[in-house]
Amino acid sequence: QVAPGDPEELAAVLRRLLDSPGERAEVGRRGYDRVMERYTWRVVAQRTVDAYCEAIAAHRAR
């Protein structure tokens, strides 16, 4: 990860990753894992259901 708004740091990290296939593969694997934990249809659908349940509970509590 790099600091937002720091193009020099981003460029340095990208250069390092270009020169390091192992590190590049690891970053890719971690990114894929993160997507699969947070953004699959099943996860998003469950979060939507949870949000509706919370909204209904809050409405009923009024």
Side-chain angles (χ1 to χ4, degrees):
Q1 293 183 353
V2 298
D6 189 341
E8 290 81 18
E9 183 183 4
L10 177 59
V13 169
L14 290 174
R15 279 192 297 274
R16 188 181 79 231
L17 289 172
L18 284 172
D19 293 334
S20 178
E23 186 178 2
R24 190 170 59 240
E26 176 63 18
V27 168
R29 185 193 60 75
R30 287 193 328 251
Y32 177 82
D33 290 348
R34 180 177 176 160
V35 166
M36 296 309 290
E37 290 170 3
R38 297 180 182 198
Y39 303 109
T40 63
W41 281 111
R42 182 177 297 278
V43 171
V44 171
Q46 185 59 56
R47 287 184 180 167
T48 302
V49 168
D50 294 345
Y52 276 108
C53 289
E54 288 176 23
I56 291 168
H59 178 73
R60 287 181 178 164
R62 285 194 260 154

